[in-house]
Amino acid sequence: MANNTRNISDYSKFIVDLRRHMWMAGIEMDLRRLIWQIAITGKYISAKIHESNRKLAGLRNIHGDEQLALDKSADIILQNQLQYSGFVKAYCSEELDRIVPYEAASSKYHVTADPLDGSSLVDTNLAIGTIIGIHRDSPLAAEGRKTMVGAMYITYGPLITMVYSAGKGTHEFVLNREGEYVLSEENITLDEKGSIYSLGGLRKDWFSGHLKFVETLEGEGYKLRYSGGFVPDINQILIKRGGVFTYPGTKKDPKGKLRLIFELQPMAFLTEQAGGMATDGKQDILAIKPEGLDHREPIYIGSRYEVEKAREFLT
Ligand code: F6P
């Protein structure tokens, strides 16, 4: 290979695992190590899901001990993995609702986590997931576009998959039977326009602009795809190369349901890196400065055509 350029296709005859992929993509060493450490937690969280036997919380095991809620267990697994990693300056998660500083002088990164998003779907055996944001500064310091350096999610479905971006495209890996994350989709790129829509919130509570937007998509023949799990619903749009997911502001909750720091920013980062868009209907999700850890926003995310179309009806 001339001039030392790293080109993944040159390696296509080999299995490309996550560490090799990040190295070839030229991602900075500590960030590579951090993403790797988080990806590994997917194995432990998945083991907990299996162990729970589809029950969520408040159960007793065969010894009569109280079991932790799955979300809480997933959070503890992440904290244990990250606290002494040496790469994490502070951690915050949906489970904690406060920023926990870690005492590692040289560490660079702030990590946000939704440890087990959609966990109420565990009993139905639908896919659920872990969502991670990686920031170079406190997520509260500025809008996501200024603080974020990476994002990832892990899906626990029939397969365990992991999608990450460190600002050099969005890539999917599958956890194989040997316990390695193997590249399955490199440089995921959304089509300009898709054919599926995923709609959160109750129709009776939608504002008229949102309703008209949805009716327009319906007139164009979009197919409904909504599982109630943010991770698999976004994953479907990325892997099928287009479409739109919305959880709008409603008459009941004008700021919508989903949380900016823990859910929206990471998915916006991954979607933008895949050539798509993410807005609250007016401005980019990554242009919004969080007002607090609990900040919520409406979301329109996916292919450019649908997200821009939403803006026409909402502004
Ligand atoms: O925020 C949790 C969550 O379960 C998301 O994963 C999902 O997109 C959304 O809520 C589903 O909300 P609803 O049950 O109102 O459709």
Side-chain angles (χ1 to χ4, degrees):
M1 196 166 44
N3 70 19
N4 207 25
T5 309
R6 294 163 186 169
N7 185 347
I8 199 102
S9 58
D10 296 340
Y11 295 78
S12 56
K13 53 185 179 296
F14 303 111
I15 288 177
V16 178
D17 81 358
L18 175 59
R19 278 181 294 190
R20 185 190 291 215
H21 185 267
M22 291 192 287
W23 176 78
M24 286 192 289
I27 295 164
E28 188 262 324
M29 188 168 68
D30 280 358
L31 186 53
R32 267 172 16 217
R33 288 180 172 169
L34 175 58
I35 291 171
W36 170 254
Q37 297 251 353
I38 295 170
I40 292 299
T41 63
K43 299 186 198 181
Y44 306 134
I45 294 173
S46 166
K48 276 280 169 207
I49 298 168
H50 281 257
E51 211 176 276
S52 79
N53 195 18
R54 301 192 298 158
K55 300 291 186 299
L56 272 179
L59 298 171
R60 296 193 175 274
N61 65 17
I62 50 164
H63 309 292
D65 304 325
E66 182 84 17
Q67 303 273 46
L68 282 177
L70 262 183
D71 315 58
K72 192 70 203 158
S73 302
D75 188 51
I76 289 169
I77 289 169
L78 277 164
Q79 288 198 59
N80 286 343
Q81 184 84 341
L82 297 179
Q83 185 159 14
Y84 305 108
S85 67
F87 316 120
V88 181
K89 206 180 193 78
Y91 172 83
C92 61
S93 86
E94 275 224 339
E95 291 304 306
L96 297 170
D97 275 354
R98 70 192 159 85
I99 296 178
V100 182
Y102 289 162
E103 287 169 24
S106 61
S107 55
K108 299 182 186 144
Y109 299 112
H110 296 245
V111 174
T112 70
D114 186 348
L116 206 56
D117 187 78
S119 58
S120 63
L121 297 174
V122 165
D123 56 355
T124 65
N125 201 24
L126 282 168
I128 54 178
T130 297
I131 309 173
I132 299 289
I134 304 173
H135 300 247
R136 69 163 71 85
D137 204 344
S138 162
L140 293 172
E143 55 267 36
R145 206 176 299 296
K146 291 199 180 134
T147 61
M148 290 192 84
V149 292
M152 52 201 289
Y153 64 77
I154 302 167
T155 56
Y156 312 100
L159 294 174
I160 296 178
T161 63
M162 193 279 296
V163 171
Y164 92 94
S165 176
K168 293 173 189 268
T170 296
H171 318 283
E172 186 205 45
F173 292 75
V174 176
L175 190 66
N176 69 12
R177 292 213 290 201
E178 286 73 42
E180 296 153 347
Y181 280 100
V182 175
L183 181 64
S184 46
E185 301 273 352
E186 193 181 31
N187 284 319
I188 295 170
T189 307
L190 294 186
D191 294 336
E192 183 68 19
K193 182 178 190 301
S195 57
I196 57 176
Y197 67 164
S198 197
L199 308 173
L202 293 182
R203 206 170 181 108
K204 73 178 178 56
D205 294 331
W206 290 348
F207 292 114
S208 65
H210 180 75
L211 184 60
K212 283 188 194 133
F213 164 64
V214 171
E215 284 170 352
T216 303
L217 297 185
E218 285 167 349
E220 293 184 25
Y222 277 70
K223 277 191 194 165
L224 180 62
R225 294 283 185 267
Y226 187 78
S227 74
F230 192 42
V231 176
D233 285 340
I234 294 295
N235 189 56
Q236 177 157 226
I237 287 170
L238 288 174
I239 299 304
K240 297 288 187 194
R241 303 291 189 268
V244 65
F245 174 98
T246 80
Y247 207 111
T250 62
K251 291 172 196 158
K252 214 166 128 239
D253 295 305
K255 288 297 242 178
K257 176 177 184 188
L258 302 184
R259 297 171 80 176
L260 181 59
I261 289 180
F262 301 113
E263 294 167 298
L264 303 186
Q265 286 182 335
M267 292 310 196
F269 191 93
L270 291 162
T271 302
E272 284 196 2
Q273 284 289 320
M277 290 177 72
T279 76
D280 66 353
K282 296 183 176 83
Q283 55 178 335
D284 288 351
I285 290 297
L286 295 181
I288 302 171
K289 180 172 185 290
E291 284 161 12
L293 292 178
D294 196 40
H295 187 146
R296 289 156 205 260
E297 284 293 339
I299 177 84
Y300 295 80
I301 181 168
S303 296
R304 302 189 81 82
Y305 170 83
E306 293 86 339
V307 178
E308 273 165 1
K309 175 73 62 193
R311 215 192 306 247
E312 284 171 28
F313 288 98
L314 294 161
T315 42

